[in-house]
Amino acid sequence: ESVGLSDAGLAQIIVVDTLVGYGWMGILLALSAVQGRFDRWVKADTTALDRVNEALKQLDQTRRPSTTASVGIFGGLGFGAAGVARVVGASLPTLGLADEATRYGARWNTPVVVDVRDLWPDVFERVLPRFARPLAGTLLHRARGLCRRACGAATTLVSVSDDYLRWGLDRAERQRTPLDAVFPHGYERPEFSAEQQSQAAAYWDDAGVADGPATRLCFFGSLGQSSALEPFLHAMRSLREPGRTAIALVVCGDGPTRDAYRRIAGECGSIRWADWIDQPKIVELMRRSHIGVASYGADAPQSLPNKPIEYLAGGLAVLSTLGESELQSLLAEADCGETMAAPTAEAIARRLVAWADDPQRLAERRDNAARLFAERFEAATVYDAMADHLERVHAHYDQTAIPLGVAA
């Protein structure tokens, strides 16, 4: 009625909407039988989805049904918190949640801080097959609109890195203000019982990763296209030659490229493999290692990933392949590692030998790594600063009642 559409026109829209929607759903259901083959064809990295599905299966085994009382309690807490909220925070992603948060803030005159955690939806364009990328503008049009609206309506933006913050400000189409801020991934050094430490030590002893004279590298994470470990594996194979410095690599994790990586490594005895390991084993492995491997594919969108920060927490020097990034600048400024953009196996082998042949210099870099972590990435440091920032945002908003990104 609002647009003067006739009954005949409405009938046509209903028919088209039903046929297209349910017809497409039927096609998707039919194609689900060949999902694995399609993923292999487009070289999709489904490691994260597989882990989520496995976690959901485990939740199903322990999940308890909601009761009327529990629904009432949670609903009351939610409405109560909304009523007294001084600042609303929303992460991006998800786009819809961030957009709704800004709508809520505008309606109830509450400042909204949008935290840019990932480059949605632009990141999806990178995983599309090359033949489909020209269609990205059309496919992602609505999502990009949501992103621009959420970033533009936010009172202020925060992010995990300067590059991500600039990306959000570009979507908001404004310049940075004094209260747009960066808060990197904070990491808390865990503490374990004596029994947990003993079990972790026994695990690595049994795996042949004992304390010893070798210079040890470690990697833990998903083994997919983005992990880009091939040149490191070839480098380790070349270091097996007699007379070479003792250097070892431990790879922990799983994913679609694990078997291919194992084939590249062959019977190289200086490379050890482990599946997903728990936190006590990660900490013990870092204690027995000297260098953390931060390898990424050429099209990796990260600028300051969380994995190198965990290496820093373990007091490891970092060898990164993430060129032209904040991580590269950080490692150079703090002298706690090096970056080799798109390295060859031969270049990596030479660098590893140089590090192993100068244990005093390597120890200095490890000390610098531990110091950098304590100064900038300790969880208490990061999140205390973020709490202070939220207080400043609220105080500013109370004084001006104007979003920081909007001209008065």
Side-chain angles (χ1 to χ4, degrees):
E1 293 179 358
S2 63
V3 296
L5 184 65
S6 66
D7 291 343
L10 180 61
Q12 294 173 12
I13 290 176
I14 292 174
V15 170
V16 171
D17 181 65
T18 303
L19 289 177
V20 172
Y22 286 99
W24 179 240
M25 182 185 297
I27 293 173
L28 292 177
L29 290 173
L31 292 177
S32 64
V34 295
Q35 178 181 345
R37 279 183 283 176
F38 181 80
D39 289 342
R40 289 190 293 273
W41 176 51
V42 299
K43 298 181 179 179
D45 185 353
T46 61
T47 306
L49 289 176
D50 294 340
R51 293 176 63 185
V52 170
N53 289 334
E54 185 61 32
L56 290 175
K57 290 179 183 177
Q58 296 176 3
L59 284 176
D60 285 337
Q61 297 173 2
T62 59
R63 183 178 296 161
R64 293 183 299 174
S66 299
T67 64
T68 303
S70 64
V71 171
I73 291 172
F74 286 122
L77 290 173
F79 284 116
V84 300
R86 297 190 299 166
V87 177
V88 174
S91 292
L92 193 161
T94 57
L95 299 174
L97 180 61
D99 183 50
E100 287 300 324
T102 57
R103 288 171 178 265
Y104 175 91
R107 180 178 180 182
W108 296 101
N109 195 31
T110 304
V112 180
V113 178
V114 170
D115 183 10
V116 181
R117 311 292 294 182
D118 208 346
L119 308 184
W120 278 32
D122 290 3
V123 68
F124 295 117
E125 185 173 352
R126 295 185 175 91
V127 302
L128 287 173
R130 292 189 180 277
F131 68 83
R133 289 183 183 178
L135 301 175
T138 301
L139 296 173
L140 301 176
H141 175 74
R142 182 176 180 277
R144 283 175 170 161
L146 278 175
C147 179
R148 287 193 297 270
R149 191 164 66 192
C151 291
T155 309
T156 182
L157 297 177
V158 299
S159 185
V160 295
S161 71
D162 284 313
D163 285 351
Y164 277 27
L165 180 59
R166 281 192 291 269
W167 180 90
L169 293 171
D170 286 345
R171 272 66 195 164
E173 297 182 342
R174 66 176 177 83
Q175 297 297 313
R176 183 170 180 170
T177 70
L179 288 183
D180 293 314
V182 172
F183 299 97
H185 295 287
Y187 184 79
E188 187 174 3
R189 286 193 179 99
E191 296 182 0
F192 307 112
S193 66
E195 181 181 2
Q196 288 176 308
Q197 296 177 36
S198 177
Q199 290 174 350
Y203 174 87
W204 290 118
D205 288 340
D206 294 341
V209 185
D211 285 322
T215 299
R216 181 171 290 117
L217 296 80
C218 67
F219 171 93
F220 39 84
S222 298
L223 300 179
Q225 296 294 328
S226 61
S227 55
L229 279 176
E230 295 93 334
F232 284 89
L233 299 174
H234 286 297
M236 294 303 302
R237 286 175 58 90
S238 71
L239 294 174
R240 293 184 303 170
E241 300 173 7
R244 291 279 195 180
T245 305
I247 300 174
L249 168 65
V250 181
V251 179
C252 307
D254 201 356
T257 60
R258 178 183 172 92
D259 291 341
Y261 286 163
R262 293 292 295 264
R263 287 193 293 272
I264 293 173
E267 300 299 322
C268 182
S270 58
I271 302 177
R272 300 288 180 176
W273 300 86
D275 293 322
W276 294 113
I277 55 176
D278 57 22
Q279 201 167 29
K281 295 184 181 70
I282 289 176
V283 172
E284 178 63 20
L285 174 60
M286 290 196 294
R287 190 189 68 79
R288 300 182 181 210
S289 302
H290 306 83
I291 302 168
V293 176
S295 58
Y296 299 90
D299 59 347
Q302 301 99 320
S303 184
L304 186 60
N306 60 346
K307 184 186 314 214
I309 296 173
E310 193 165 2
Y311 291 150
L312 297 177
L316 300 180
V318 178
L319 184 55
S320 168
T321 64
L322 197 59
E324 301 297 326
S325 65
E326 289 178 58
L327 177 60
Q328 180 178 13
S329 300
L330 184 71
L331 297 179
E333 291 170 6
D335 190 24
C336 59
E338 293 186 32
T339 300
M340 303 180 67
T344 63
E346 293 77 10
I348 292 175
R350 288 195 298 269
R351 190 64 52 86
L352 293 179
V353 170
W355 282 23
D357 285 344
D358 193 350
Q360 182 176 351
R361 180 76 174 100
L362 181 55
E364 290 176 359
R365 282 178 163 157
R366 294 184 63 192
D367 290 341
N368 292 340
R371 187 179 306 109
L372 173 65
F373 172 80
E375 292 174 355
R376 293 187 52 179
F377 300 107
E378 187 84 56
T381 301
V382 173
Y383 299 123
D384 284 352
M386 192 169 191
D388 292 341
H389 173 77
L390 295 177
E391 292 288 350
R392 288 196 299 272
V393 170
H394 176 260
H396 177 95
Y397 196 84
D398 265 1
Q399 294 169 6
T400 64
I402 299 174
L404 297 179
V406 178

